[in-house]
Amino acid sequence: MKALLVDERTLTFSKGELPIPQIGPDEVLVKVHAAALNHRDLNMPLFYKRMREQDASFPVSTYAVGADGAGIIESIGSNVRSWSIGDPVIWSSLAYCGVCSACLLGQNVACLKGNIMGSTGFNGTVAQYVAVPAKLLIPKPEHLDVKESAALSMGLGTAWRALITRGGLQPGETVLIQGIGGGVALFALQIAVSLGARVIVTSSSDEKLKQAMALGAAEGINYQSEDVVERVIDLTNGNGVDLVVDGGGSKTMPVAIQSVRDLGRVVNYGFVTGRTFTLDTYHLMIRQVSLVGTAMHTYSELVSAVRFFSNAKLRPVISKVFSLEDSLQGVEHLESGSHFGKIAIHMD
């Protein structure tokens, strides 16, 4: 089968071929109709490189990238009872063991033996076929086409966990979403607006701010031409926002902490601008700010998020669609940072 590959030794992407996966008794084989790219597809090879620098025995491989996708079940394992050949599906990309302490507490997002599609030893979704554990499957939303459905999983689930589970967003609150344009940030915007929250977004692009306001953002701040903290404080009558959702990391977290109100919450889900930052613990303490980290989502959270998206008849924002043959251009588009929305890869 054809696939988009990454070589962890050279950190390069290429088009290539892999054997069609052989499924186990608890898995299904999905013929992938569309997939989508995430920033983690760029970050994971670098993560593995650092791991190998610390431990030379850490495995290295070439594998198909991608965690998100949508397709049709082509065959099922002998133990699979709740799905049938021909079912249109999407899936949660985190395979979990179900028996470790985290899984037994319902937090399979922290599974001690978990692995994510598009990682060493676990081929991803930018391929013509993918083997998926049946317990990760979710019915494809009926109101979305296959490319839109393929764009949901990781970004939507991460946004839901950040906003709802970890952030505790309530209707009527004000939330600041930093760096609008990527998948998680846009899903967070759509969810928050649908819940009745007031949303302020930031970007270095006036065009992206305009697009975000068309999706329901109340205010947009260009962080290259405006002081974000001053503008946020002004927009909230001197109080600050109730919640900040941040995926930037080192350059944006100090802004987040200064932009939140007393007893407010800051949730971080990424580190696009870097992994470390200077923290004024006095500021954090005296204003009693809750600083929370989050990553990905549990299976049940993704189910809830997809149900919410379907009930609200929301549609993911798609920046561009590339064919599998042109998927390297999709990687370049992702690397450029110019996208507004998800980057989809269509297999047909």
Side-chain angles (χ1 to χ4, degrees):
M1 67 175 183
K2 296 178 181 178
L4 175 63
L5 308 176
V6 62
D7 186 332
E8 290 182 342
R9 296 173 180 81
T10 61
L11 304 182
T12 56
F13 294 85
S14 64
K15 293 176 294 181
E17 293 193 359
L18 292 171
I20 294 176
Q22 299 296 307
I23 59 172
D26 299 308
E27 296 179 320
V28 304
L29 181 68
V30 177
K31 181 176 177 57
V32 181
H33 287 181
L37 299 177
N38 293 285
H39 269 288
R40 74 169 297 276
D41 297 317
L42 304 178
N43 295 335
M44 288 307 293
L46 296 173
F47 168 78
Y48 290 131
K49 179 176 182 292
R50 286 193 294 268
M51 293 295 292
R52 288 193 302 277
E53 289 171 349
Q54 299 172 22
D55 180 2
S57 66
F58 193 81
V60 59
S61 65
T62 297
Y63 54 86
V65 303
D68 297 339
I72 301 293
I73 295 178
E74 182 119 325
S75 61
I76 61 175
S78 58
N79 292 340
V80 177
R81 298 289 182 268
S82 54
W83 299 94
S84 301
I85 293 173
D87 286 345
V89 292
I90 62 173
W91 49 82
S92 174
S93 57
L94 173 63
Y96 57 92
C97 70
V99 297
C100 71
S101 57
C103 287
L104 292 177
L105 290 172
Q107 294 297 324
N108 48 62
V109 69
C111 177
L112 302 177
K113 300 178 182 179
N115 197 6
I116 306 171
M117 293 181 184
S119 303
T120 290
F122 196 176
N123 275 314
T125 59
V126 188
Q128 292 176 305
Y129 294 90
V130 64
V132 183
K135 63 185 178 182
L136 302 183
L137 295 172
I138 299 172
K140 173 191 166 297
E142 293 182 358
H143 76 291
L144 300 180
D145 66 30
V146 68
K147 296 181 290 296
E148 292 170 323
S149 298
L152 294 180
S153 178
M154 184 168 287
L156 177 60
T158 300
W160 183 267
R161 181 172 174 84
L163 274 177
I164 308 303
T165 308
R166 304 289 278 166
L169 180 66
Q170 298 297 315
E173 288 192 317
T174 299
V175 56
L176 171 65
I177 301 174
Q178 302 212 82
I180 200 68
V184 176
L186 284 169
F187 282 126
L189 168 61
Q190 291 176 287
I191 294 168
V193 169
S194 294
L195 282 173
R198 179 191 182 204
V199 183
I200 302 170
V201 299
T202 72
S203 175
S204 61
S205 165
D206 288 335
E207 179 58 30
K208 289 184 179 182
L209 293 174
K210 181 179 178 181
Q211 290 174 285
M213 293 178 73
L215 290 171
E219 304 285 348
I221 304 171
N222 189 318
Y223 60 75
Q224 286 192 335
S225 59
E226 300 179 84
D227 185 300
V228 174
V229 176
E230 288 185 4
R231 185 80 175 115
V232 167
I233 298 303
D234 179 61
L235 290 170
T236 56
N237 298 317
N239 296 317
V241 297
D242 300 289
L243 172 65
V244 181
V245 175
D246 176 80
S250 62
K251 292 183 179 179
T252 53
M253 282 297 288
V255 173
I257 294 168
Q258 294 177 64
S259 297
V260 74
R261 64 167 173 82
D262 292 355
L263 299 173
R265 297 97 68 199
V266 175
V267 179
N268 172 265
Y269 67 86
F271 45 87
V272 173
T273 67
R275 300 171 64 185
T276 61
F277 65 94
T278 300
L279 176 63
D280 183 344
T281 52
Y282 175 79
H283 181 90
L284 192 72
M285 177 272 295
I286 203 67
R287 299 187 60 201
Q288 303 186 63
V289 173
S290 296
L291 181 58
V292 182
T294 189
M296 294 193 59
H297 52 83
T298 65
Y299 174 79
S300 62
E301 285 167 341
L302 180 58
V303 170
S304 296
V306 171
R307 183 182 301 118
F308 178 90
F309 224 66
S310 295
N311 289 341
K313 292 295 186 287
L314 297 173
R315 313 188 83 91
V317 180
I318 305 295
S319 175
K320 283 189 177 182
V321 180
F322 296 88
S323 66
L324 181 57
E325 182 65 25
D326 294 330
S327 56
L328 287 174
Q329 296 178 33
V331 174
E332 292 173 357
H333 188 50
L334 180 64
E335 290 174 327
S336 74
S338 62
H339 57 289
F340 185 87
K342 298 285 290 186
I343 299 168
I345 309 294
H346 201 269
M347 300 301 159
D348 296 337

